Amino acid sequence: MNKEYLLDANIVIKIWNEYPKLLDMMEKTHEIDYKIPQDIAGELAVKEFKNINGVPVLTDKFLKLLGHIINNDGSNFENDDEKNSYNNFDYNNYFFKTNKISINDYTLIHICEKHKKYTLVTEDKRILQSAENVLDPSRVLNFNGFIEELKEYNVIK
C-alpha cells in the first residue's frame, strides 16, 4: 500500500456526484486505500437512508463504504493531551487561530496527526487551513489535488 486517504463527508458526496465509479476503481488497486471516520460515516448515513415499503434502508453506495469506516480511536478530545495543535475548545467547537471547526472536523485532523499514513482530503476551507497548521501540508489535499494524485496512480485515466 503506497497511499491511504482519510476522506471528509464533502469529498465522498463530491465523488458520488462527479465520479460515481471512483470508489470502485480505488477498490481495485492495491496501491491506495481510503478510510472514513465513524462520525463522518454517521453524517453520510443520515442522508443515505431511503424508505422502501415503509422501512428505512441504507443506499447501495453507502453500503460500499462499510469496509472503509474506521474507529475514531476512542479519543476524548476535551481531555486530550495533544491540544497543542489548536488554541481553544468550546461547546463542541475547536478554534485553530481564527478558524472555528466542529468536533467531527477536528477528529479528521486528529486522526491524521496520530496516524502518519493518512492524507486528509476535504473541501472545507477551515479544515484545510487548520490541518495545514498541524500536519505537513503535503498530507492535506482538496478535491482537485486528490483527483490529480489518483491520476498519478493511474486510478483515473
Side-chain angles (χ1 to χ4, degrees):
M1 180 107 25
N2 293 332
K3 193 76 170 192
E4 291 187 73
Y5 298 99
L6 190 67
L7 305 181
D8 192 3
N10 56 48
I11 296 299
V12 175
I13 292 167
K14 200 162 184 159
I15 290 170
W16 285 340
N17 292 335
E18 296 181 25
Y19 291 87
K21 301 287 184 206
L22 180 58
L23 297 178
D24 291 332
M25 293 163 47
M26 290 174 68
E27 193 79 36
K28 292 178 184 175
T29 182
H30 298 289
E31 289 85 29
I32 61 166
D33 194 13
Y34 67 93
K35 300 296 181 192
I36 301 163
Q38 65 190 27
D39 291 342
I40 300 302
E43 289 177 15
L44 291 166
V46 169
K47 299 173 185 175
E48 291 302 312
F49 274 106
K50 301 296 176 206
N51 197 347
I52 299 177
N53 297 327
V55 177
V57 177
L58 285 166
T59 63
D60 287 338
K61 65 184 178 183
F62 181 84
L63 292 175
K64 289 181 182 182
L65 301 177
L66 292 179
H68 298 275
I69 297 171
I70 61 169
N71 187 313
N72 290 349
D73 293 338
S75 296
N76 180 351
F77 300 120
E78 293 161 13
N79 298 321
D80 193 347
D81 290 334
E82 297 178 25
K83 284 185 177 181
N84 60 355
S85 303
Y86 56 89
N87 295 9
N88 197 2
F89 169 79
D90 182 30
Y91 302 108
N92 289 330
N93 291 301
Y94 287 84
F95 295 89
F96 284 77
K97 298 188 183 200
T98 59
N99 289 325
K100 180 174 106 174
I101 62 174
S102 72
I103 187 86
N104 285 353
D105 297 343
Y106 177 70
T107 297
L108 289 165
I109 296 169
H110 189 66
I111 289 171
C112 286
E113 191 175 22
K114 289 178 87 173
H115 303 279
K116 306 291 185 221
K117 63 186 175 183
Y118 294 130
T119 296
L120 176 58
V121 185
T122 184
E123 278 292 282
D124 185 301
K125 289 181 179 159
R126 289 181 178 167
I127 300 173
L128 285 167
Q129 290 172 347
S130 298
E132 287 174 351
N133 288 321
V134 177
L135 307 171
D136 179 335
S138 68
R139 294 184 51 227
V140 182
L141 295 172
N142 64 12
F143 186 74
N144 290 335
F146 174 61
I147 295 299
E148 288 305 311
E149 278 200 8
L150 292 179
K151 286 178 182 177
E152 291 174 20
Y153 283 102
N154 294 318
V155 174
I156 300 173
K157 302 196 181 350

